[in-house]
Short mmCIF file of all heavy atoms in Angstrom, two decimals:
data_model
loop_
_atom_site.label_atom_id
_atom_site.label_comp_id
_atom_site.label_asym_id
_atom_site.label_seq_id
_atom_site.Cartn_x
_atom_site.Cartn_y
_atom_site.Cartn_z
N MET A 1 42.46 -50.05 39.09
CA MET A 1 41.44 -50.95 39.59
C MET A 1 40.94 -50.49 40.97
O MET A 1 39.73 -50.46 41.24
CB MET A 1 41.97 -52.38 39.69
CG MET A 1 42.33 -53.01 38.37
SD MET A 1 43.07 -54.65 38.63
CE MET A 1 43.78 -54.93 36.99
N TYR A 2 41.88 -50.11 41.80
CA TYR A 2 41.52 -49.65 43.16
C TYR A 2 40.59 -48.43 43.05
O TYR A 2 39.53 -48.39 43.73
CB TYR A 2 42.81 -49.24 43.91
CG TYR A 2 42.56 -48.76 45.32
CD1 TYR A 2 42.68 -49.59 46.41
CD2 TYR A 2 42.18 -47.41 45.55
CE1 TYR A 2 42.45 -49.14 47.70
CE2 TYR A 2 41.95 -46.96 46.82
CZ TYR A 2 42.09 -47.82 47.91
OH TYR A 2 41.84 -47.36 49.16
N LYS A 3 40.96 -47.47 42.25
CA LYS A 3 40.18 -46.25 42.15
C LYS A 3 38.81 -46.53 41.54
O LYS A 3 37.79 -45.94 41.98
CB LYS A 3 40.92 -45.22 41.31
CG LYS A 3 42.16 -44.66 42.01
CD LYS A 3 42.97 -43.74 41.13
CE LYS A 3 44.20 -43.18 41.87
NZ LYS A 3 45.07 -42.39 40.99
N GLU A 4 38.73 -47.45 40.57
CA GLU A 4 37.44 -47.76 39.95
C GLU A 4 36.51 -48.43 40.94
O GLU A 4 35.32 -48.07 41.06
CB GLU A 4 37.66 -48.67 38.75
CG GLU A 4 36.35 -49.07 38.05
CD GLU A 4 36.59 -50.01 36.89
OE1 GLU A 4 37.41 -49.67 36.02
OE2 GLU A 4 35.93 -51.08 36.87
N LEU A 5 37.00 -49.41 41.70
CA LEU A 5 36.16 -50.12 42.65
C LEU A 5 35.79 -49.23 43.82
O LEU A 5 34.66 -49.33 44.36
CB LEU A 5 36.86 -51.39 43.13
CG LEU A 5 37.15 -52.45 42.08
CD1 LEU A 5 37.69 -53.70 42.70
CD2 LEU A 5 35.90 -52.76 41.25
N HIS A 6 36.68 -48.36 44.23
CA HIS A 6 36.36 -47.43 45.32
C HIS A 6 35.24 -46.48 44.89
O HIS A 6 34.39 -46.12 45.69
CB HIS A 6 37.61 -46.66 45.70
CG HIS A 6 37.43 -45.80 46.93
ND1 HIS A 6 36.93 -44.51 46.86
CD2 HIS A 6 37.63 -46.06 48.25
CE1 HIS A 6 36.87 -44.01 48.09
NE2 HIS A 6 37.28 -44.93 48.95
N GLU A 7 35.28 -46.10 43.65
CA GLU A 7 34.21 -45.21 43.12
C GLU A 7 32.89 -45.96 42.97
O GLU A 7 31.82 -45.40 43.25
CB GLU A 7 34.65 -44.64 41.78
CG GLU A 7 33.65 -43.61 41.23
CD GLU A 7 34.16 -42.95 39.96
OE1 GLU A 7 35.39 -42.95 39.71
OE2 GLU A 7 33.32 -42.43 39.18
N LYS A 8 32.94 -47.23 42.57
CA LYS A 8 31.72 -48.00 42.37
C LYS A 8 30.97 -48.28 43.67
O LYS A 8 29.76 -48.04 43.76
CB LYS A 8 32.05 -49.35 41.71
CG LYS A 8 32.32 -49.31 40.22
CD LYS A 8 32.56 -50.75 39.70
CE LYS A 8 32.71 -50.75 38.21
NZ LYS A 8 32.99 -52.15 37.71
N ASP A 9 31.69 -48.81 44.66
CA ASP A 9 31.02 -49.20 45.92
C ASP A 9 32.06 -49.39 47.01
O ASP A 9 32.51 -50.51 47.27
CB ASP A 9 30.22 -50.48 45.70
CG ASP A 9 29.27 -50.79 46.86
OD1 ASP A 9 29.53 -50.33 47.98
OD2 ASP A 9 28.25 -51.48 46.63
N PRO A 10 32.49 -48.31 47.65
CA PRO A 10 33.56 -48.42 48.65
C PRO A 10 33.22 -49.34 49.81
O PRO A 10 34.09 -50.03 50.34
CB PRO A 10 33.79 -46.99 49.10
CG PRO A 10 32.53 -46.26 48.72
CD PRO A 10 32.01 -46.92 47.49
N ARG A 11 31.93 -49.37 50.21
CA ARG A 11 31.56 -50.24 51.34
C ARG A 11 31.70 -51.71 50.98
O ARG A 11 32.28 -52.48 51.76
CB ARG A 11 30.12 -49.94 51.77
CG ARG A 11 29.64 -50.77 52.96
CD ARG A 11 28.25 -50.38 53.40
NE ARG A 11 28.18 -49.02 53.87
CZ ARG A 11 27.07 -48.45 54.33
NH1 ARG A 11 25.94 -49.13 54.36
NH2 ARG A 11 27.11 -47.20 54.75
N LEU A 12 31.18 -52.10 49.84
CA LEU A 12 31.25 -53.50 49.39
C LEU A 12 32.69 -53.95 49.25
O LEU A 12 33.10 -55.01 49.76
CB LEU A 12 30.51 -53.68 48.07
CG LEU A 12 30.72 -55.03 47.36
CD1 LEU A 12 30.16 -56.18 48.21
CD2 LEU A 12 30.09 -55.04 45.96
N TYR A 13 33.50 -53.15 48.55
CA TYR A 13 34.85 -53.62 48.22
C TYR A 13 35.84 -53.42 49.36
O TYR A 13 36.92 -53.99 49.34
CB TYR A 13 35.33 -52.91 46.94
CG TYR A 13 34.48 -53.32 45.74
CD1 TYR A 13 33.72 -52.39 45.04
CD2 TYR A 13 34.40 -54.67 45.37
CE1 TYR A 13 32.94 -52.79 43.95
CE2 TYR A 13 33.62 -55.06 44.29
CZ TYR A 13 32.88 -54.13 43.61
OH TYR A 13 32.10 -54.52 42.55
N THR A 14 35.42 -52.68 50.37
CA THR A 14 36.19 -52.68 51.62
C THR A 14 35.83 -53.91 52.43
O THR A 14 36.72 -54.60 52.95
CB THR A 14 35.91 -51.41 52.46
OG1 THR A 14 36.33 -50.26 51.73
CG2 THR A 14 36.64 -51.48 53.80
N ALA A 15 34.54 -54.24 52.49
CA ALA A 15 34.08 -55.37 53.28
C ALA A 15 34.63 -56.70 52.76
O ALA A 15 34.99 -57.60 53.53
CB ALA A 15 32.56 -55.42 53.29
N ASN A 16 34.70 -56.84 51.42
CA ASN A 16 35.19 -58.14 50.90
C ASN A 16 36.71 -58.18 50.71
O ASN A 16 37.24 -59.17 50.21
CB ASN A 16 34.46 -58.50 49.60
CG ASN A 16 34.83 -57.61 48.40
OD1 ASN A 16 35.76 -56.79 48.47
ND2 ASN A 16 34.07 -57.75 47.34
N GLY A 17 37.40 -57.14 51.09
CA GLY A 17 38.85 -57.15 51.13
C GLY A 17 39.53 -56.75 49.84
O GLY A 17 40.77 -56.71 49.78
N LEU A 18 38.76 -56.42 48.81
CA LEU A 18 39.41 -56.13 47.51
C LEU A 18 40.21 -54.83 47.56
O LEU A 18 41.30 -54.77 46.97
CB LEU A 18 38.37 -56.04 46.40
CG LEU A 18 37.76 -57.36 45.90
CD1 LEU A 18 36.95 -57.12 44.64
CD2 LEU A 18 38.84 -58.40 45.65
N LEU A 19 39.71 -53.82 48.21
CA LEU A 19 40.45 -52.56 48.24
C LEU A 19 41.76 -52.72 49.03
O LEU A 19 42.80 -52.17 48.64
CB LEU A 19 39.59 -51.45 48.84
CG LEU A 19 38.41 -50.99 47.98
CD1 LEU A 19 37.65 -49.87 48.68
CD2 LEU A 19 38.87 -50.53 46.60
N ASN A 20 41.69 -53.48 50.11
CA ASN A 20 42.93 -53.72 50.87
C ASN A 20 43.93 -54.51 50.01
O ASN A 20 45.12 -54.18 50.01
CB ASN A 20 42.59 -54.50 52.14
CG ASN A 20 43.81 -54.74 53.00
OD1 ASN A 20 44.42 -53.83 53.52
ND2 ASN A 20 44.19 -56.01 53.12
N MET A 21 43.45 -55.51 49.28
CA MET A 21 44.33 -56.31 48.44
C MET A 21 44.96 -55.47 47.33
O MET A 21 46.16 -55.53 47.09
CB MET A 21 43.52 -57.46 47.81
CG MET A 21 44.32 -58.36 46.90
SD MET A 21 43.27 -59.54 46.00
CE MET A 21 42.51 -58.42 44.80
N LEU A 22 44.13 -54.67 46.66
CA LEU A 22 44.66 -53.83 45.56
C LEU A 22 45.60 -52.76 46.11
O LEU A 22 46.56 -52.36 45.44
CB LEU A 22 43.50 -53.21 44.78
CG LEU A 22 42.70 -54.19 43.95
CD1 LEU A 22 41.36 -53.54 43.50
CD2 LEU A 22 43.48 -54.66 42.73
N GLY A 23 45.31 -52.26 47.30
CA GLY A 23 46.21 -51.30 47.93
C GLY A 23 47.57 -51.91 48.17
O GLY A 23 48.60 -51.27 47.97
N ARG A 24 47.57 -53.16 48.63
CA ARG A 24 48.85 -53.88 48.79
C ARG A 24 49.53 -54.06 47.44
O ARG A 24 50.73 -53.80 47.29
CB ARG A 24 48.61 -55.23 49.43
CG ARG A 24 49.85 -56.14 49.48
CD ARG A 24 49.46 -57.62 49.59
NE ARG A 24 48.76 -58.09 48.39
CZ ARG A 24 48.03 -59.20 48.36
NH1 ARG A 24 47.89 -59.94 49.45
NH2 ARG A 24 47.42 -59.56 47.24
N ASN A 25 48.77 -54.53 46.45
CA ASN A 25 49.35 -54.87 45.16
C ASN A 25 50.04 -53.67 44.48
O ASN A 25 51.10 -53.79 43.87
CB ASN A 25 48.27 -55.42 44.21
CG ASN A 25 47.78 -56.77 44.64
OD1 ASN A 25 48.28 -57.38 45.57
ND2 ASN A 25 46.72 -57.25 43.98
N ARG A 26 49.41 -52.49 44.59
CA ARG A 26 49.97 -51.34 43.92
C ARG A 26 51.26 -50.86 44.58
O ARG A 26 51.97 -50.05 44.01
CB ARG A 26 48.92 -50.21 43.81
CG ARG A 26 48.46 -49.64 45.14
CD ARG A 26 47.37 -48.59 44.91
NE ARG A 26 46.88 -48.04 46.16
CZ ARG A 26 45.98 -47.06 46.26
NH1 ARG A 26 45.51 -46.50 45.15
NH2 ARG A 26 45.57 -46.62 47.42
N GLN A 27 51.53 -51.38 45.78
CA GLN A 27 52.81 -51.07 46.43
C GLN A 27 53.91 -52.07 46.01
O GLN A 27 55.08 -51.89 46.32
CB GLN A 27 52.67 -51.13 47.94
CG GLN A 27 51.68 -50.13 48.53
CD GLN A 27 52.04 -48.70 48.22
OE1 GLN A 27 53.20 -48.31 48.34
NE2 GLN A 27 51.07 -47.90 47.83
N VAL A 28 53.49 -53.14 45.30
CA VAL A 28 54.42 -54.20 44.90
C VAL A 28 54.87 -54.01 43.47
O VAL A 28 56.07 -54.09 43.16
CB VAL A 28 53.81 -55.58 45.09
CG1 VAL A 28 54.73 -56.69 44.59
CG2 VAL A 28 53.49 -55.83 46.58
N LYS A 29 53.91 -53.77 42.55
CA LYS A 29 54.26 -53.55 41.14
C LYS A 29 53.12 -52.83 40.44
O LYS A 29 52.07 -52.60 41.05
CB LYS A 29 54.62 -54.86 40.43
CG LYS A 29 53.49 -55.87 40.32
CD LYS A 29 53.98 -57.09 39.51
CE LYS A 29 52.83 -58.01 39.16
NZ LYS A 29 53.24 -59.10 38.26
N TRP A 30 53.30 -52.51 39.15
CA TRP A 30 52.34 -51.68 38.45
C TRP A 30 50.99 -52.35 38.23
O TRP A 30 49.94 -51.76 38.47
CB TRP A 30 52.93 -51.28 37.08
CG TRP A 30 52.03 -50.38 36.29
CD1 TRP A 30 51.92 -49.03 36.41
CD2 TRP A 30 51.10 -50.76 35.27
NE1 TRP A 30 50.98 -48.54 35.51
CE2 TRP A 30 50.46 -49.58 34.79
CE3 TRP A 30 50.76 -51.98 34.71
CZ2 TRP A 30 49.51 -49.60 33.79
CZ3 TRP A 30 49.79 -52.02 33.70
CH2 TRP A 30 49.18 -50.82 33.26
N GLY A 31 51.02 -53.57 37.70
CA GLY A 31 49.76 -54.22 37.38
C GLY A 31 49.94 -55.71 37.11
O GLY A 31 51.05 -56.21 37.03
N PRO A 32 48.82 -56.43 36.94
CA PRO A 32 48.90 -57.87 36.70
C PRO A 32 49.48 -58.23 35.35
O PRO A 32 49.15 -57.61 34.32
CB PRO A 32 47.42 -58.33 36.79
CG PRO A 32 46.62 -57.11 36.54
CD PRO A 32 47.42 -55.94 37.03
N GLU A 33 50.35 -59.24 35.34
CA GLU A 33 51.00 -59.72 34.13
C GLU A 33 50.54 -61.15 33.85
O GLU A 33 50.30 -61.92 34.77
CB GLU A 33 52.53 -59.70 34.28
CG GLU A 33 53.12 -58.34 34.57
CD GLU A 33 54.60 -58.45 34.88
OE1 GLU A 33 55.40 -58.64 33.94
OE2 GLU A 33 54.96 -58.38 36.08
N ARG A 34 50.49 -61.50 32.57
CA ARG A 34 50.05 -62.85 32.19
C ARG A 34 51.25 -63.72 31.86
O ARG A 34 52.15 -63.32 31.11
CB ARG A 34 49.12 -62.75 30.97
CG ARG A 34 48.44 -64.07 30.60
CD ARG A 34 47.29 -63.81 29.61
NE ARG A 34 46.58 -65.05 29.34
CZ ARG A 34 46.72 -65.80 28.21
NH1 ARG A 34 47.60 -65.39 27.29
NH2 ARG A 34 46.05 -66.90 28.05
N TRP A 35 51.27 -64.93 32.46
CA TRP A 35 52.38 -65.85 32.26
C TRP A 35 52.66 -66.11 30.78
O TRP A 35 53.78 -66.09 30.33
CB TRP A 35 52.09 -67.18 32.99
CG TRP A 35 53.02 -68.27 32.58
CD1 TRP A 35 52.93 -69.11 31.50
CD2 TRP A 35 54.27 -68.61 33.24
NE1 TRP A 35 53.99 -69.96 31.44
CE2 TRP A 35 54.84 -69.69 32.49
CE3 TRP A 35 54.93 -68.13 34.37
CZ2 TRP A 35 56.05 -70.27 32.86
CZ3 TRP A 35 56.13 -68.72 34.72
CH2 TRP A 35 56.69 -69.77 33.98
N GLN A 36 51.60 -66.38 30.04
CA GLN A 36 51.75 -66.74 28.62
C GLN A 36 52.36 -65.62 27.78
O GLN A 36 52.87 -65.90 26.68
CB GLN A 36 50.40 -67.20 28.05
CG GLN A 36 49.86 -68.50 28.63
CD GLN A 36 49.04 -68.29 29.89
OE1 GLN A 36 49.13 -67.23 30.56
NE2 GLN A 36 48.19 -69.24 30.21
N ASP A 37 52.32 -64.40 28.27
CA ASP A 37 52.89 -63.28 27.55
C ASP A 37 54.34 -62.99 27.97
O ASP A 37 54.99 -62.11 27.38
CB ASP A 37 52.06 -62.01 27.78
CG ASP A 37 50.63 -62.15 27.25
OD1 ASP A 37 50.45 -62.91 26.28
OD2 ASP A 37 49.72 -61.54 27.83
N TRP A 38 54.84 -63.71 28.97
CA TRP A 38 56.19 -63.48 29.46
C TRP A 38 57.21 -63.95 28.41
O TRP A 38 57.19 -65.11 28.00
CB TRP A 38 56.40 -64.23 30.78
CG TRP A 38 57.77 -64.12 31.35
CD1 TRP A 38 58.67 -63.09 31.16
CD2 TRP A 38 58.42 -65.05 32.23
NE1 TRP A 38 59.83 -63.33 31.87
CE2 TRP A 38 59.71 -64.52 32.53
CE3 TRP A 38 58.03 -66.25 32.81
CZ2 TRP A 38 60.59 -65.19 33.37
CZ3 TRP A 38 58.92 -66.91 33.63
CH2 TRP A 38 60.18 -66.39 33.91
#
């Protein structure tokens, strides 16, 4: 997700905090999991 959004529009997704958020997330675990699938 980080790489895709960075390629799409790095200025927009830096400004709205998404790249920073995804950068944090990828240091925590691989990807988003759904509760109902647990």
Side-chain angles (χ1 to χ4, degrees):
M1 295 176 195
Y2 180 98
K3 290 174 179 175
E4 179 182 308
L5 296 186
H6 188 273
E7 185 175 338
K8 281 183 176 179
D9 193 334
R11 181 176 297 180
L12 169 64
Y13 295 118
T14 297
N16 69 10
L18 286 191
L19 291 181
N20 182 65
M21 179 189 74
L22 290 166
R24 173 203 65 198
N25 292 353
R26 63 183 178 176
Q27 300 300 316
V28 175
K29 65 177 190 174
W30 182 84
E33 300 173 76
R34 188 167 184 258
W35 167 275
Q36 293 87 341
D37 298 330
W38 178 26

